[in-house]
Amino acid sequence: MIHSLFIINSQGDVFLEKHWRSVIPRSVCDYYLEAQRANGNDINPVIATPHHYLISIQRGGVSFVAVCMEEIPPLFVIEFLHRVVDIFQDYFSDCTETIIKENYVVVYELLDEMLDNGFPLATESNILKELIKPPNILRTIANTVTGKTNVSDILPTGQLSNIPWRRSGVKYANNEAYFDVIEEVDAIIDKSGATVFAEIQGYVDCCIKLSGMPDLTLSFVNPRLFDDVSFHPCVRFKRWEAERLLSFIPPDGNFRLISYHISSQSVVAIPVYVRHNLSIKTGEQGRLDLTVGPKQTMGRTVEAVKIEVLMPKCILNCVLTSNQGKYNFDPVSKILHWDIGKIDVTKLPNIRGSVSIASGSNTSEINPTINVHFTISQLAVSGLKVSRLDMYGEKYKPFKGVKYITKAGRFQIRM
């Protein structure tokens, strides 16, 4: 399975390596670094070398490169690497080069428990937190003085059960179950405003704080919307296939219950529009006019709106006036950033002004693209709705809550 893991920073230096089966020299990472120099950030996640397979992900400016000696399902390794990063973020609140270096000991302890002889072992956050206590100032000082580690002497109770994701004996004074239905809209809109491509990547994140061993059933009003789904291991897949219900014994704490994909363009509503106009008056001067407004938001407010206009290289500078938010233009990267915030429907955000164009440029090839970022609370743009949540196996009545959020994924408008 996985023989070694190398963690590489943005400068191409290996600052952490972990070997499970045999020690593989870090010179094997040269194949990855060559691909990075040739392709930038668009690196093939699987690189075949004469004797190894390199499978990699990039998160937070750091590259995680797993080395395998034989053929292996690549998505299996990619999912494991993402789980490693998620665990680091859960333990240390972030996963950057600096934070990993500050917590070398805990990182190695976690990698020892997550992989055994190259095979995944304990990958659930609440099990790992019983095995290895998350670092804090007092524990770090005590370990330094006494020479102890964060590793527990007692094996977690859930590790040997048939429900390894949940520890036994969980007790809470207030029993709560919260579900966040989050949808990200990926879309490409052409010059005329027509939708070229649109799909939704969605997921349901949970925060479950329930005593005992509850058995939950979550149902949706319209589960047939899903084109593709992936589940947390706690979900009973046969029940989903037969009844389109999510039946599960939940882990304790935060976890992702389900990820789904909706590709039918008829279902994907485009929640914002951008009216754009870039006109070239003379050889060295032009006018830019952008207006942003809500569209198909079911009366909900569009918040945290940010616009990025990727200008062509011939644009030298922008002198603009906006009626809402702040803007800045980076003459090096040629990107215009406009931070709008909340859209007021009574006075739509507008930015206009002049752009300077390098003399002798071919103005017929000026076709900038606009990247849009936004958030809409209490709206699932696909129309997905949670019908009900039932609990079995426990007698108390928990407090239940569902929150819907729509965000922009890769949302691009062509000018």
Side-chain angles (χ1 to χ4, degrees), residues 215-219 231 234-248 390 392:
D215 195 328
L216 303 181
T217 300
L218 184 72
S219 59
F231 301 107
C234 69
V235 176
R236 299 180 179 98
F237 186 60
K238 285 186 177 179
R239 187 90 185 269
W240 168 261
E241 282 192 314
E243 305 175 50
R244 283 296 189 263
L245 293 173
L246 292 178
S247 176
F248 58 99
D390 297 314
Y392 307 95

Side-chain angles (χ1 to χ4, degrees), residues 275-291:
R275 284 202 300 267
H276 50 81
N277 182 36
L278 178 61
S279 58
I280 309 302
K281 287 190 174 180
T282 63
E284 298 180 6
Q285 198 72 24
R287 294 285 300 176
L288 175 67
D289 192 335
L290 298 176
T291 302

Side-chain angles (χ1 to χ4, degrees), residues 228-334:
D228 192 15
V229 289
S230 65
F231 301 107
H232 188 277
C234 69
V235 176
R236 299 180 179 98
F237 186 60
K238 285 186 177 179
R239 187 90 185 269
W240 168 261
E241 282 192 314
E243 305 175 50
R244 283 296 189 263
L245 293 173
L246 292 178
S247 176
F248 58 99
I249 295 175
D252 182 40
N254 299 307
F255 66 100
R256 180 158 295 176
L257 179 64
I258 175 176
S259 300
Y260 60 88
H261 172 230
I262 298 173
S263 59
S264 174
Q265 286 195 192
S266 61
V267 175
V268 183
I270 304 301
V272 298
Y273 68 87
V274 178
R275 284 202 300 267
H276 50 81
N277 182 36
L278 178 61
S279 58
I280 309 302
K281 287 190 174 180
T282 63
E284 298 180 6
Q285 198 72 24
R287 294 285 300 176
L288 175 67
D289 192 335
L290 298 176
T291 302
V292 184
K295 175 184 177 184
Q296 294 178 303
T297 62
M298 308 290 288
R300 305 293 182 185
T301 304
V302 185
E303 302 172 315
V305 180
K306 293 182 181 178
I307 303 291
E308 291 179 2
V309 185
L310 281 66
M311 295 290 195
K313 292 182 179 179
C314 62
I315 300 294
L316 299 177
N317 197 15
C318 298
V319 180
L320 307 170
T321 303
S322 65
N323 66 352
Q324 184 178 338
K326 297 179 181 180
Y327 84 92
N328 67 76
F329 176 72
D330 186 347
V332 178
S333 63
K334 308 295 184 184

